[in-house]
Amino acid sequence: MSLTYLEAIREAQYEALNTRPEVFLYGQDIGTFGGAFKATKGLSKEFPGRVIDSPISEDAMVGVAIGAAIEGARPILEMQFADFSSVGFNQIVNQAGTLFWRTQTPCPITIRLPSGGTPGSGPFHSQSMESIYAHYPGLVIVTPATVDDAYWMLLDSVDLDDPVIFCEHKFLYYHLKADALGGRGLPIGKARIVRPGRHATVVAYSAMVHEALRAADELALDGYQIEVVDLRSVKPLDTETLLGSIARTGRILCVGESFPWGGVTAEVVARITAEAFHLLDAPPMRLNSKDTPIPYHPNLWKAHRPTVTTITESLKHLLRY
Amino acid sequence: MTTLEVADADWTPEFGRKYMAAFQVMQRARLMENKIGALYRSGGQVVGGVYLGRGQEAFSGGLGVQLQKGKDIYAPLIRDQAGRVAFGEEELDFFRTYLGAAPGPMRGRDGNIHRGRPKEGLLAMISHLGSMVSVVAGCLLARRMAGRLGDAVGATSIGDGGTSTGAFHEALNLAAVEKLPLIVSVANNQFAYSTPNDRQFACETLVDRAKGYGVRGWSVDATDLAQCLKTFEAAVAEARAGGGPQLVEGCLLRLSGHGEHDDAAYVPDAIRHSRLGQDCLLRAEKQIVARGLASESEIEQWAARVQKEIDAVVVQVAREPRPDPYRERWEAFSVRGMVEGFAE
């Protein structure tokens, strides 16, 4: 039985509700309606009283999750779109992110952010927020790129005693399918080498892993073996696996879908430069979206984010150095 | 909107006992705050600012004495020392946090009024106003879901300025939708830091907002302990009985600056000398003497005893170690595996 990325998220929530009585789901339209993307379809019927519709109040939704966590619950919060989490930003970074440090009270909440661009979604339904949240202490940021990771990392997030920002990519919801669910994979904090290679490393996460793999396919036609690393979680960031890869290839390109000023790709390049300068055969490169709001029209949107073409071009530049 | 007047008939022996207990809470809070204010002005001992609840003790304590530690949730705000005393927060927590001692609940990681013990139902406020309301709502929601809410309530405070935030609005609306047993006390002390009410909101009274949220609204003269007690008792009872959120507005004036660094020169004399500017503690003291509940000298003796306790605590805390940056665990995660080592 095949399973989409979105179905994996629904199944993981089913599993969490089914196995842990402390789990409940809270979000806009997630009850009978099943959520804007149907990630909670049917769950309110299966688990009465534990899949709760919230008002359109992202700040208060996060506050509620934090209060519930203080009382021993393990809430999973659904933001309708990652973009709207900015309204709950204060509670996420100042309340959830500081609670354990200040009071030694763990804050086991999981905030699901339907992230990233899809054609026609425009500036306010397309954002990738991982870099923003990763900047603040006390938050774990995961960015699953596969069906298995969507499932297992969501369960791992619920099990974790710290607040997790779960960045799930909307473009993968329906496009990405697996024939069956695999076994539990790597823990949060470990990157995975998706495709081994020896000429250059592409570091990516979330939907960009798949674009990177396609770019690697293209360059294979020219005889290059490109290693692709899926970060899986951007905080913690698995520097060790990156350093191992650099030791093999000597060249690195980091690809992210979010805006180019700072962020995950800049952090990766900064760490590689500081810790593996002597292993590098070329200056580390990074590729992000353009530095504008995310455009609405598919023609513009496709050119705004990194694509197979721009990743391939960047890699060629890197390989030529 | 409900305003409960206190008549002579209300002064039963039981009410008198409650009044005296609440007065002693107020008195202790005032003395603790006087002490920390003095230490601040003498310099060197207090870490950071000092924010007092002088003039707000009847309103804060009037709510606090209705709550039961171990059963109810309490998220005090900046001017709730009396509420904290009533809830059972230890004096040690107050002085250790203000003086930056390493033992105690905050261990130098946060200071002054940002202290609490969430696992004991005493939440530790963050500075962003309105943010605690939804957290209290979440505590209550989780307990109800787990079937262990019983007749517990959650209470939190805010000021006139805090009611302008989106967080306040979102949370009170949410709590009303969920019909949670939440008490929100609004200490309308006329100024948000230096901003007067006519630059803060345009409705006639803040309690008018209760209707818009679909919650019960109460209004009290917050300089009168008797009215505070009667009102909070009724509001808390209503919340315990399933009546949903209760919004209680108390009208008063803070008898200090926003913090001790602030001389509050922006408060016009006319307001200082109005009914709002009455000192709730002096009013209560006069009431106690007039009703023959205690004599002036007895009240002085209580104060002297509390002062002695306070002084002893300060001496103890002054000797305690301060946080050591070399022994600090610089980790914001409870799960060790989530911690990354950054180069320094």
Side-chain angles (χ1 to χ4, degrees), chain A residues 19-304:
Chain A
T19 52
R20 297 201 73 154
E22 319 94 290
V23 171
F24 72 94
L25 314 189
Y26 195 51
Q28 295 158 23
D29 305 299
I30 68 165
T32 314
F33 185 66
F37 296 100
K38 303 295 173 200
T40 58
K41 188 179 169 189
L43 295 179
S44 72
K45 205 172 168 190
E46 301 247 19
F47 303 97
R50 293 172 65 197
V51 183
I52 306 167
D53 283 328
S54 73
I56 304 177
S57 299
E58 286 81 5
D59 181 291
M61 286 160 60
V62 181
V64 160
I66 295 163
I70 290 170
E71 286 295 319
R74 308 185 87 88
I76 304 175
L77 212 60
E78 177 177 304
M79 290 287 164
Q80 199 152 76
F81 285 79
D83 315 47
F84 304 140
S85 73
S86 59
V87 181
F89 182 73
N90 174 50
Q91 297 280 15
I92 295 172
V93 303
N94 288 315
Q95 193 103 255
T98 68
L99 186 69
F100 177 72
W101 166 259
R102 295 168 65 236
T103 70
Q104 302 295 285
T105 308
C107 188
I109 67 174
T110 300
I111 305 180
R112 290 181 38 234
L113 302 189
S115 304
T118 52
S121 294
F124 312 116
H125 292 75
S126 304
Q127 291 170 28
S128 299
M129 309 283 280
E130 64 280 351
S131 295
I132 295 284
Y133 292 116
H135 183 67
Y136 276 83
L139 304 171
V140 172
I141 322 295
V142 304
T143 51
T146 67
V147 172
D148 281 357
D149 273 352
Y151 181 84
W152 289 110
M153 290 181 88
L154 185 47
L155 287 177
D156 286 347
S157 300
V158 171
D159 284 341
L160 203 71
D161 271 347
D162 287 304
V164 180
I165 309 297
F166 189 87
C167 304
E168 52 192 57
H169 204 293
K170 302 196 297 291
F171 194 67
L172 304 179
Y173 271 173
Y174 317 103
H175 289 81
L176 198 64
K177 277 188 188 145
D179 292 337
L181 196 61
R184 188 180 282 265
L186 294 166
I188 289 174
K190 288 281 170 225
R192 181 180 50 232
I193 294 166
V194 187
R195 175 188 177 120
R198 57 193 181 92
H199 295 119
T201 299
V202 187
V203 179
Y205 57 97
S206 193
M208 284 298 136
V209 170
H210 303 283
E211 304 298 323
L213 284 169
R214 286 163 62 199
D217 282 343
E218 289 221 352
L219 285 167
L221 302 175
D222 297 337
Y224 290 111
Q225 293 172 29
I226 306 297
E227 180 148 307
V228 178
V229 179
D230 173 6
L231 287 175
R232 299 177 70 249
S233 66
V234 302
K235 189 168 186 176
L237 186 62
D238 182 1
T239 313
E240 260 180 50
T241 297
L242 297 183
L243 294 179
S245 183
I246 296 300
R248 283 187 291 278
T249 65
R251 292 167 204 268
I252 182 168
L253 167 70
C254 189
V255 185
E257 190 178 325
S258 57
F259 303 124
W261 201 101
V264 174
T265 58
E267 180 68 25
V268 166
V269 167
R271 289 192 193 192
I272 294 301
T273 309
E275 296 186 41
F277 192 73
H278 57 292
L279 299 175
L280 290 169
D281 297 325
M285 286 179 73
R286 48 196 286 261
L287 186 61
N288 289 92
S289 79
K290 293 190 190 302
D291 192 22
T292 67
I294 300 153
Y296 178 75
H297 196 280
N299 288 355
L300 299 179
W301 174 75
K302 279 185 210 155
H304 183 267

Side-chain angles (χ1 to χ4, degrees), chain B residues 59-100:
Chain B
F59 191 61
S60 175
L63 169 58
V65 295
Q66 314 298 335
L67 305 175
Q68 293 172 42
K69 197 175 171 199
K71 170 180 172 177
D72 298 321
I73 310 281
Y74 183 39
L77 212 77
I78 177 171
R79 307 195 196 284
D80 280 320
Q81 187 49 36
R84 287 173 180 271
V85 170
F87 194 69
E89 185 190 43
E90 287 188 31
E91 282 172 10
L92 264 174
D93 284 8
F94 172 89
F95 285 108
R96 280 172 165 165
T97 308
Y98 261 116
L99 300 176

Side-chain angles (χ1 to χ4, degrees), chain B residues 278-289:
Chain B
Q278 297 175 95
D279 184 339
C280 58
L281 192 67
L282 292 181
R283 259 191 99 173
E285 201 172 313
K286 280 184 194 153
Q287 183 76 261
I288 286 168
V289 175

